[in-house]
Structure formats: C-alpha cells, structure tokens
Amino acid sequence: MFESAEIGHTIDDATYDAQVPALREALLEAQFELKEQGRFPVLVLISGIEGAGKGETVKLLNEWMDPRLIEVSTFDQPTDEELARPPAWRYWRKLPPKGRTGIFFGTWYSQMLQARIGGRIDDARLDQAIDIAGRLERMLSDEGALIFKFWFHLSKKRMKERLKALNDDPLHSWRLSSLDWQQSKTYDKFVRHGERVLRRTNRDFAPWYVIEGTDANYRSLSVGRILLEGLQAALKREGAARSSPHAAPLVSSLDNRALLDALDMTQTLDKADYQAQLLVEQARLAGLMRDKRMRQHALLAVFEGNDAAGKGGAIRRVTGALDPRQYRIVPVASPTDEELAQPYLWRFWRHIPARGKFTIFDRSWYGRVLVERVEGLCSEVDWLRSYGEINDFEEELTGAGVVVVKFWLAIDQQTQLERFKAREATPFKRFKITEEDWRNRDKWDAYCDAVGDMVDRTSTEIAPWTLVEANDKYFARVKILRTLNEALERAFRG
Amino acid sequence: MFESAEIGHTIDDATYDAQVPALREALLEAQFELKEQGRFPVLVLISGIEGAGKGETVKLLNEWMDPRLIEVSTFDQPTDEELARPPAWRYWRKLPPKGRTGIFFGTWYSQMLQARIGGRIDDARLDQAIDIAGRLERMLSDEGALIFKFWFHLSKKRMKERLKALNDDPLHSWRLSSLDWQQSKTYDKFVRHGERVLRRTNRDFAPWYVIEGTDANYRSLSVGRILLEGLQAALKREGAARSSPHAAPLVSSLDNRALLDALDMTQTLDKADYQAQLLVEQARLAGLMRDKRMRQHALLAVFEGNDAAGKGGAIRRVTGALDPRQYRIVPVASPTDEELAQPYLWRFWRHIPARGKFTIFDRSWYGRVLVERVEGLCSEVDWLRSYGEINDFEEELTGAGVVVVKFWLAIDQQTQLERFKAREATPFKRFKITEEDWRNRDKWDAYCDAVGDMVDRTSTEIAPWTLVEANDKYFARVKILRTLNEALERAFRG
C-alpha cells in the first residue's frame, strides 16, 4: 500500500515554480465556484506519519486558496462538553456547510490508530471503528459531501531523519510524542495497522491518497492537483445525476394486514386509575433521573404519531414531575438555513443530550420517512437511504449510553375526526388545528404504510419502537411513562 | 425593598383553583401569539433566597405553558469551553431566539452575589458587575427582548422552616449549600447585598418583581399574572413604536477636514524591504502565538476598509506563518435566519476565540455603523445605539484577556478605480468585483463620514483603531503585522 510512497519522489524547484501559479489560480476559481454553487461541502481528512508534512501542507493550502472559505479543525483532547456526548458529536459540530471546505486533523482515523497502537483496543474493536467510519463517510457522501482522505507517508529511515531536524512542536504534544515515534516499534505498528485501516476504508466515494512526504515540492503539488481535479469534476457533475442505491423495494403485506391494524385500540384506563398510576410513574421517573447511575446515561425520547394523537399532552405528563433544568424539549419544525446547509441528521445531532440529561424530540429524524416520504418532499432515493442512516445514528447514541425510546401514538380515524372538531371549537386550542391537518387526514392510508415500513426497518433491539394505543389519552400517557421507566431501569441494570 | 414580601401573603385553595384555568388558557394563547409574531424573545431571570420556591415555580410554568416553546438554562459550573472565553459568552449562547422564552437560573445576579458573599469581590467590583449587567439588559431590551426579573423572597424565619423541610437536592449542590443558608449570617449578607443589586438594576425596561415565596398559591398566581400581563402588553405594542434614545447628533467637522484626509497616503515600501520586513514580522507573530503567555490571552483582529483596499491579501499575509489550527477566519456576510432571530451581536459572540486562539473577522460588527448606516439597512436609532453596545462588547472581550486589534484599510479614490479595472481584467479575480462595488463607490463621501464617526466613537484605549494607509499594499501589510505584534507584546507585558 505504501510502496510507491517510499521511492523518493522529487520535483525540482524550477518545475515547481513554473506550475504553482496556474494551480493556485485554478484552485481559487474552483473554490469560488464551490461557494457560488453552494451545493455541497468539501471535507479533507489529514492523517499519516509524524513528520511527513501534514501541518506544512495544510498551511500551504491556506496560503494558496482563500483561507476565508476554509476551516481547519483539530481533534485533540475532547472538551468536557464533548466527553459528555457520543464520540461522533464532536465531528458533527465541526462539519463544513455547503459551499465551504473543512480540513480535519486528527480525525477518527488518528483516534482509532492511536488506541490500537497504545493497546487500548484490539483488532476486533479496530474493525468496529473502521466500520463506523465507513458508514459515516458513506452518509456524508450520500448527502453530497466531497471527501478527500490524505495519508502522508515516509519511509522509516526518512522519518527518523526528519524528526531529528524538527523541534518539538507544542501543538503536537497531545499526540504520540516525537520520542514515541523515534522508536522503530511505533513506526512499524503504525504502518501495519495503518495499512489495515487504509485498505478497509478506501472507497470510491471517499478514496485515500497516499502522499510521499519527503520532498516538499512533490508533496505540495500532488495534494494541490488532487484537490483541484476532484473539485473540478464535482463542480461539473449535475446534482441530479447522483447514483441511486439498490434499495430493496418495500414489500406490501401479503394478507393486507398492517401493523397498526393489529393494535387493540379499545384499551382504556378510568380516571381514578389514571390519576393514581400517573403519580406513581411520574415519581418513578423523577427518582430514576436523580439516580446516581443516570450520570452514565442520557435519556432521549422520540414522539411521533397521528395528528391530534395527544403528543403534546403526553409530553407534558412525562415532564410533569421533572426538574426543568434536567430536560429539554426540541420541537422539530422546518429546518433553518444553517441546518439546510448540513447533512440531514446534523440538526438532530446538535440537540443530543449530555450525560445525566433528558431530551424529548417532538417529532424527529423520522420526519424523513413519514411526512417527507408521503408528501414527496424528498426523493425516494433519500428516504430509502435514511432507514440505514437512522439505525447507524441510534446505534452511536446507545453505544455511548444514551437510552433511546421511540413512541408512535396511534389513534383511529374516527377519534381523530372528533378531536379535530373539538379543537376547532375550543378557543385556546384553535392553534393546534390547521388546514394541513385536514389535508394530512386524506392521506391516512399512505401514512399507515409509511409507519409500518418505518417500524419494520428501524425498530431495533437497541432502540425499539413502542406503539401506543392512544384513543384513550389516559391509557396512552401511563403506557408512555411506564415504557420510559422500564427502559431506564433496564439500562441501569446494564 | 423586601418589606412587602415578608407580610405573609396567602391565597386560599378555592380562589386559586378558580383562577388558574383562565390564567393558563390566557398564557397559552399569549405564548402562541408570541411564536406567531416571531418579533421578540422573552427572557425570564430567576433569583432569590434558597427555598423560596424558584425551582417549583419554573416547574409549574412549564406545566401551565407549552414547554416546547420554553428553554430553561442553568448556569452552574462553567464548562471548559466556557471558561476559555469571556464570562458573558455562556449567556449569549443560551439566549432564546425571537418567538420563544428562555428561563435563566443562576444568572449574572447569582454569580455576582455569591462572589460578594464569599468575599471574592468587594463592593467596587460588585458595582462593576452590576453596571455590566445593566448594560447587557439594556442592549437586550433595545434589541426587542421582553425581560422579567423575579426575586423570590422569604423572611429569615420562614427560610429556616422551609429548609428544614427540604431534602438536600443534588441539583443545587453547586450553589451555597443548605448548610450555608442555615447560618443567619449568610441570609443577612444575601439580603443586604441583594438589596443593593436590586436597587441598582431595577429599570423600566427590565424591572424586578419581588415575590414572597411562603405560600405556593400566592407565589404561582403572582408570577403567572405578571408574565401574562407583560406578555400581552408587549404583544399589543407595535414594533414601530419603540422609543428612540436621545442620541447626541453627530457633529460634522467644522473645518471640513476628515480624519481620513489627514493620512499620508503616499507612504510606500519597496519590494526588497517589504520581503525582508514581512518575514521578520511573520516570524515574530508566529513566535508570540507560541509564547506561553498566549495561554492567558486570545487574539482578535477586525478588518474593515474600502472595497479593493486589500483586506484579503493582508489577511493572507497575517496568517502566512501561522499554524492553521491556531487561527480562524470569519468572513462576515449576510446573517443566517438563526442569526436574525437573535440580538445583533450574537453572530459575533459565537465566534469569539478561546484562549490561545486567534480569530480574524473579515468585516465585522462595524457593518452596522458602516454599510448598514450608509445604505439605510437599519434605522438611525439602531446604528446610533450600537456605538455604545460595541464599546461594551469590546470591553468584555479585553477584560477577559482578548487582545482586540481593529484595522481600517484606507485607499484613495484613484487607487480604487485602478484596482477595480485591474480586477475586471484578471480572470481569477473577477469574482472580487461586483455591481455593488461600483455602487458603493458612488457613496464615497458618505462612507468617509461613517468611518470618521466610527473611529471617533469606538477607538478606545482598550481597543483602538489603526488606520492603515493602503495605497501601497506592501506598506499596509507590514504595518498591520507590526501592529498586531505590538499589541500582543503589550498584552504580554501586562
């Protein structure tokens, strides 16, 4: 893998000086076109051997190109806000928006390699990390990102020579130190594990470029050319020409019985029972949130459901006994323009709770496979793809101790009709009913299909869906609270 | 000040139960109207005596109102990301956007009172903190925010009774502990200093409401009523009817000589000198950025100037010798919709550098008194007001160790014309020149006036303007680098 990066590539100064001006000019033009189109972001990942010119190259790119359109992020020690959330959160918060370029130093590849070399993880865990990285990059690419991965390489002999010449740079001190690097063993391990990582993460949509770092002229021109060609090609490509995945078609149920039809919608709870049980479950939740074990977890609840199914009322009962400083409700409406400039899941990542906290999503990332699918607001390719991305997303959350609980509040058509009419008649509930609600009602069957597919494809062991029979609000609220409590208790038992 | 909050107000349950439903309904309606208008945010500050029902009241408000439109923020221990920035940064990042309500627990008032009671600051420093708080609230109010400040009070006797009844709540443990509170001295100090704080921060635009906390019915109804009446009044008020400040009119220069005319625009540097001096100053800056003393400081540079004055080129020379991981360039363009939903300075606060870092603003908050003033993009009231707000802002930055350096790059009309023409002729510089640039040129005199007023009103000892004679790019770049270096060295000397 690294053979051709050890053969001593060089470019003489005359050739270099002759080529740079045109390259710079073309890079600037491409960068400007990228901004004008505002169609996709560029993500450049920087990895490789210490002393192979990573920092110098990034510095040079900032000189050649317009640094106002580039943001360089270093992922060294996580901050405490980052440590309180799933590992990927820190990358998501630094993603470049459409039209701009983000350069990531010390990315997921550095983290996994250092962990492997330091012996903190074994090969199996390394493969898991590789898999997660692959999924993340695939998702970013599907969302339009242009990804370059550069690996700066040096032969062992060259590295030792270079390190001798370098002073210890305090900016690098968090990484493997120069001292570490001067041990042959470290180099050997880094190259061996690095080879495995590169091999398994070299994809058409996010290829690795191995750059020999010995000669600055060669290194700089190579990187500049690769960026330029990749950028120019992507800028010419039409947005519409995106390859569609070979998604398995959704199969309708053979016996025409849908998941939602199987619910027993007649379940009820009388008022006295409701009031008694509600108090019990609210107190139980408040107790669990104060439990010491909660410091290792966060709680995340997703509320989806038919219009007028009682999401708002249920959420108020959930938070009823909680300290408002511990929870946060995120009502999901149309995305802001900053959110539109990012991958779909970005707007949800930014609200992921820190450990010890509870976030309630009033509607959620499932909008993509519900309203956006039914209303045709996004392409079939996009919503089909999102089932898998959502499962990956929730796996990252649960893997970091976030307890994910998802509710679909189901009512039948007759109940919905009655509630719509009642709302129209009540002054302070009028705002709850809109033209759109009546229109959605006409698409009842389409929504049923969408819900069925959603549950089939995203109800996982780690983040199962709970279907809530919500014709009776009392029954629904108690079931929701009880489900949350059981999920937390299960998590606490480990 | 607290007399009427010690007389034992109570409301019996029957009265309470009779009044709550209508109050809730009206609050919900007002909250919905607030969201629909999307014209201003509501900020509720919660302070007062321990055990006086602060937490309970906020909890109740979340039950009464729609909690999806309320965000509760607690300011206990700052995170390390917050500690690395000026103290106000953590409040800015939690401000509610227009149409929503933010409830702040443990605000600036709690911080200053605890510092005073703990003896960490004296009365003079307390007065400074009071002054800063007053300016912040004034600015928020001028930007449209509706501010409620609640002080929950208890007589000493009542407090002791209540604290006995309360279990120690782990959520509160970061504050003065219950144990502290049980000492009479603490109560006395809190009330004495609290009285001073309330007296000096009770303003028409951000009044204090002292609430007796003994009786839950009284407390809840009082707070609910105050919020409702304030909200309803603000919702009825027309946006246009804002009071205009008595801003001193801007005085034209008597002898018709403007600041910019006084510059010696003939200064130049020949290429050899430029190259030599540039290298020296770049190395000096790189060295200063690596200096250990930089850990106590951040560097912030503002670049403003005539179109085609060479801001971009100058910025590239400034960053030329720096590690891209240490600096960040923020190009200021039109605000995003998330930024438009916040006070004017919010979009700049979010980019304030952490300690050890360097942020370059390519155009800045001065847009308000330059382009927005000249083009009539904001009202005279708003831009007149912003001089003072900007000075307050920069004072907060410098007070926290941020070194603020501001450049106006000045060229004369003839030079600008030549550069415009040259740009139009150069393919990869075409994007630098637009119709707008030609239009701005027609307003040359208006911009000169605006620059003069800006410098007169915002060139302060702590954050002076540097006027850069930029007809000669070499001269300008070296002057800029040298100014930055001198500012850092001055800061390091202390």
Side-chain angles (χ1 to χ4, degrees), chain B residues 35-51:
Chain B
K35 181 184 165 224
E36 283 301 287
Q37 290 192 7
R39 209 158 42 83
F40 59 89
V42 176
L43 186 60
V44 182
L45 308 184
I46 304 287
S47 300
I49 303 290
E50 196 65 12

Side-chain angles (χ1 to χ4, degrees), chain B residues 348-421:
Chain B
F348 307 106
W349 265 108
R350 67 198 300 213
H351 297 302
I352 291 306
R355 288 208 185 85
K357 303 282 185 178
F358 178 18
T359 299
I360 295 170
F361 284 91
D362 181 6
R363 303 200 186 273
S364 69
W365 42 96
Y366 286 100
R368 177 135 285 190
V369 296
L370 294 169
V371 57
E372 291 189 36
R373 165 185 171 176
V374 173
E375 303 292 335
L377 301 176
C378 78
S379 70
E380 188 179 27
V381 168
D382 282 337
W383 63 258
L384 276 172
R385 165 166 67 81
S386 68
Y387 293 114
E389 290 173 5
I390 286 172
N391 284 337
D392 290 346
F393 170 47
E394 293 176 358
E395 196 175 328
E396 288 191 73
L397 299 180
T398 54
V402 181
V403 178
V404 178
V405 189
K406 306 182 292 195
F407 297 105
W408 175 265
L409 276 67
I411 53 176
D412 58 32
Q413 282 190 284
Q414 181 58 31
T415 304
Q416 188 183 56
L417 186 64
E418 286 159 16
R419 290 192 186 165
F420 277 12
K421 285 184 176 162

Side-chain angles (χ1 to χ4, degrees), chain A residues 263-329:
Chain A
L263 294 178
D264 175 5
M265 299 298 282
T266 64
Q267 296 177 88
T268 59
L269 204 59
D270 70 37
K271 189 164 184 178
D273 283 349
Y274 164 68
Q275 286 175 332
Q277 293 183 25
L278 186 74
L279 278 181
V280 170
E281 296 297 340
Q282 283 184 331
R284 191 172 156 207
L285 182 59
L288 289 167
M289 287 295 295
R290 276 197 303 265
D291 192 293
K292 274 184 192 166
R293 289 168 293 181
M294 191 65 204
R295 292 183 204 158
Q296 305 307 317
H297 291 280
L299 180 58
L300 189 160
V302 165
F303 282 82
E304 297 280 356
N306 297 114
D307 291 327
K311 287 195 301 295
I315 289 172
R316 265 210 304 288
R317 294 332 179 278
V318 166
T319 60
L322 301 181
D323 188 309
R325 291 164 283 191
Q326 265 197 310
Y327 68 83
R328 171 143 188 237
I329 303 173

Side-chain angles (χ1 to χ4, degrees), chain B residues 200-217:
Chain B
R200 307 193 59 174
T201 58
N202 198 17
R203 309 292 182 79
D204 56 340
F205 55 85
W208 277 105
Y209 300 97
V210 178
I211 307 288
E212 181 168 2
T214 319
D215 179 72
N217 288 348

Side-chain angles (χ1 to χ4, degrees), chain A residues 69-367:
Chain A
L69 298 171
I70 298 177
E71 184 160 359
V72 178
S73 302
T74 315
F75 298 95
D76 43 5
Q77 304 289 12
T79 67
D80 51 10
E81 295 186 31
E82 290 169 343
L83 283 171
R85 292 179 177 81
W89 188 74
R90 56 198 309 232
Y91 302 118
W92 277 87
R93 69 197 297 223
K94 296 290 186 186
L95 286 179
K98 288 170 185 160
R100 290 170 166 274
T101 301
I103 299 183
F104 279 15
F105 258 99
T107 60
W108 38 92
Y109 293 112
S110 310
Q111 311 290 335
M112 66 177 84
L113 276 169
Q114 286 176 40
R116 182 68 193 88
I117 292 164
R120 293 191 300 282
I121 60 172
D122 60 13
D123 270 345
R125 291 286 305 281
L126 177 63
D127 284 350
Q128 283 185 322
I130 287 172
D131 182 52
I132 291 170
R135 287 159 185 269
L136 176 62
E137 290 169 19
R138 158 75 75 178
M139 181 280 304
L140 291 172
S141 163
D142 283 339
E143 291 275 345
L146 178 62
I147 304 175
F148 297 90
K149 300 189 291 200
F150 289 105
W151 180 276
F152 289 79
H153 189 74
L154 281 182
S155 67
K156 197 194 289 188
K157 183 161 163 286
R158 290 284 180 195
M159 182 202 66
K160 291 199 169 183
E161 288 167 10
R162 265 187 73 92
L163 284 185
K164 260 190 208 156
L166 285 176
N167 285 326
D168 206 356
D169 180 342
L171 282 174
H172 294 185
S173 56
W174 59 274
R175 304 196 234 164
L176 291 175
S177 69
S178 292
L179 209 69
D180 287 332
W181 277 105
Q182 277 159 31
Q183 297 171 359
S184 295
K185 261 194 222 164
T186 303
Y187 179 91
D188 293 341
K189 281 190 198 170
F190 200 84
V191 167
R192 192 174 75 244
H193 296 301
E195 212 269 352
R196 180 192 190 91
V197 168
L198 260 66
R199 182 165 28 94
R200 307 193 59 175
T201 58
N202 197 16
R203 308 293 182 79
D204 56 340
F205 55 85
W208 277 105
Y209 301 97
V210 178
I211 307 288
E212 181 168 2
T214 319
D215 179 72
N217 289 348
Y218 172 80
R219 187 176 72 208
S220 308
L221 270 189
S222 301
V223 172
R225 283 269 181 73
I226 290 165
L227 281 177
L228 178 63
E229 281 165 23
L231 249 173
Q232 285 177 334
L235 289 166
K236 255 175 239 152
R237 224 170 286 144
E238 279 308 308
R242 281 169 50 195
S243 67
S244 64
H246 300 285
L250 296 169
V251 183
S252 313
S253 160
L254 288 178
D255 61 358
N256 222 10
R257 264 183 65 90
L259 195 66
L260 292 172
D261 298 336
L263 294 178
D264 175 5
M265 299 298 282
T266 64
Q267 296 177 88
T268 59
L269 204 59
D270 70 37
K271 189 164 184 178
D273 283 349
Y274 164 68
Q275 286 175 332
Q277 293 183 25
L278 186 74
L279 278 181
V280 170
E281 296 297 340
Q282 283 184 331
R284 191 172 156 207
L285 182 59
L288 289 167
M289 287 295 295
R290 276 197 303 265
D291 192 293
K292 274 184 192 166
R293 289 168 293 181
M294 191 65 204
R295 292 183 204 158
Q296 305 307 317
H297 291 280
L299 180 58
L300 189 160
V302 165
F303 282 82
E304 297 280 356
N306 297 114
D307 291 327
K311 287 195 301 295
I315 289 172
R316 265 210 304 288
R317 294 332 179 278
V318 166
T319 60
L322 301 181
D323 188 309
R325 291 164 283 191
Q326 265 197 310
Y327 68 83
R328 171 143 188 237
I329 303 173
V330 179
V332 173
S334 9
T336 65
D337 51 12
E338 292 184 39
E339 290 169 341
L340 285 172
Q342 294 283 1
Y344 178 66
L345 289 172
W346 187 84
R347 52 196 286 237
F348 307 106
W349 265 107
R350 69 198 299 213
H351 297 302
I352 291 306
R355 287 207 186 85
K357 302 283 185 178
F358 178 18
T359 299
I360 295 170
F361 284 92
D362 181 6
R363 304 200 185 273
S364 69
W365 42 96
Y366 286 100

